Amino acid sequence: MRAPLSWLREYVDLPGDVSDLSEIHYADLFLVKMVSNLSLNLRFSPELRVYNKLTARFEDLVPAFELTELFADYNLADIVFFRVGRQQITWGISRTYPFTDLLARLPEATPDPEDVGPDSFAAKLNVPVGTGGIEAILYTRTLFWDAPDDPQIEEIGVGGKLNLAFQFLDLNLGGFYHRDLTPRLFY
């Protein structure tokens, strides 16, 4: 009597002994990354709005929910703009020059940089000047906190950026300081 699947060896070169079906193992390969966002944008007046973004990531077909953004915007006479809360901030104008994105840096002791989620909290002030403007920021991440549930004032970084755009010149200057990171400036 022939062993199960032994006839298959005549047509396909299979590694190892596959005569016992319990020895056949399958590699599960997840080919799709599914992410869904639900956002709520509440405008209470022309000066005040609250924005909320809930993200669902499906890992092994089990949803994992995460509050990715929750912040309030306030504008003072369309001259000064404030934003406070959990938000995703990117400094820079292209992927070609990521060195200007000083807020994306992580401490050297970060266990797995790929596993860092949306964990930033900021208070931001913007003053538009022509096409560009001035931005001042107080910024922290949960990775900067010594105690995960008890952030301290010294765990907040401070930074600023100036963008002056004219017909023949676009000037960008900025810097960010946090005690866990090397101070950086860009121009």
Side-chain angles (χ1 to χ4, degrees):
M1 178 173 170
R2 285 175 110 179
L5 296 180
S6 60
W7 59 271
L8 191 58
R9 288 181 185 260
E10 297 173 21
Y11 303 103
V12 179
D13 183 27
L14 295 175
D17 180 20
V18 292
S19 59
D20 184 5
L21 293 179
S22 66
E23 293 297 317
I24 297 177
H25 300 284
Y26 297 97
D28 293 334
L29 179 62
F30 194 62
L31 297 176
V32 177
K33 179 179 179 183
M34 295 187 295
V35 176
S36 182
N37 295 313
L38 175 65
S39 60
L40 184 61
N41 191 358
L42 300 170
R43 186 163 296 275
F44 295 103
S45 70
E47 295 82 22
L48 178 65
R49 91 170 173 142
V50 175
Y51 181 82
N52 177 5
K53 182 175 170 185
L54 181 68
T55 301
R57 298 182 194 288
F58 298 89
E59 298 168 5
D60 297 328
L61 300 178
V62 176
F65 296 99
E66 187 171 27
L67 182 66
T68 50
E69 292 188 276
L70 175 59
F71 58 81
D73 281 333
Y74 182 77
N75 84 53
L76 182 64
D78 285 335
I79 296 173
V80 180
F81 298 86
F82 300 95
R83 178 176 284 179
V84 177
R86 184 178 199 145
Q87 53 192 294
Q88 296 173 351
I89 301 174
T90 303
W91 279 2
I93 54 175
S94 76
R95 292 182 184 167
T96 308
Y97 303 105
F99 61 87
T100 61
D101 195 4
L102 301 182
L103 304 178
R105 295 182 308 143
L106 299 173
E108 288 184 20
T110 303
D112 184 6
E114 295 294 322
D115 195 30
V116 175
D119 64 342
S120 57
F121 299 88
K124 185 169 65 166
L125 174 129
N126 279 310
V127 179
V129 177
T131 305
I134 301 168
E135 182 175 305
I137 192 166
L138 297 172
Y139 183 82
T140 188
R141 302 178 84 144
T142 54
L143 288 172
F144 297 152
W145 302 349
D146 293 331
D149 297 331
D150 188 25
Q152 302 296 316
I153 195 78
E154 62 270 6
E155 296 167 337
I156 297 174
V158 62
K161 147 176 118 141
L162 170 68
N163 176 238
L164 298 176
F166 303 104
Q167 185 175 3
F168 298 105
L169 175 69
D170 188 358
L171 177 65
N172 284 296
L173 303 169
F176 182 71
Y177 170 78
H178 189 279
R179 69 175 186 167
D180 294 343
L181 302 172
T182 306
R184 296 275 171 97
L185 300 169
F186 68 85
Y187 66 93

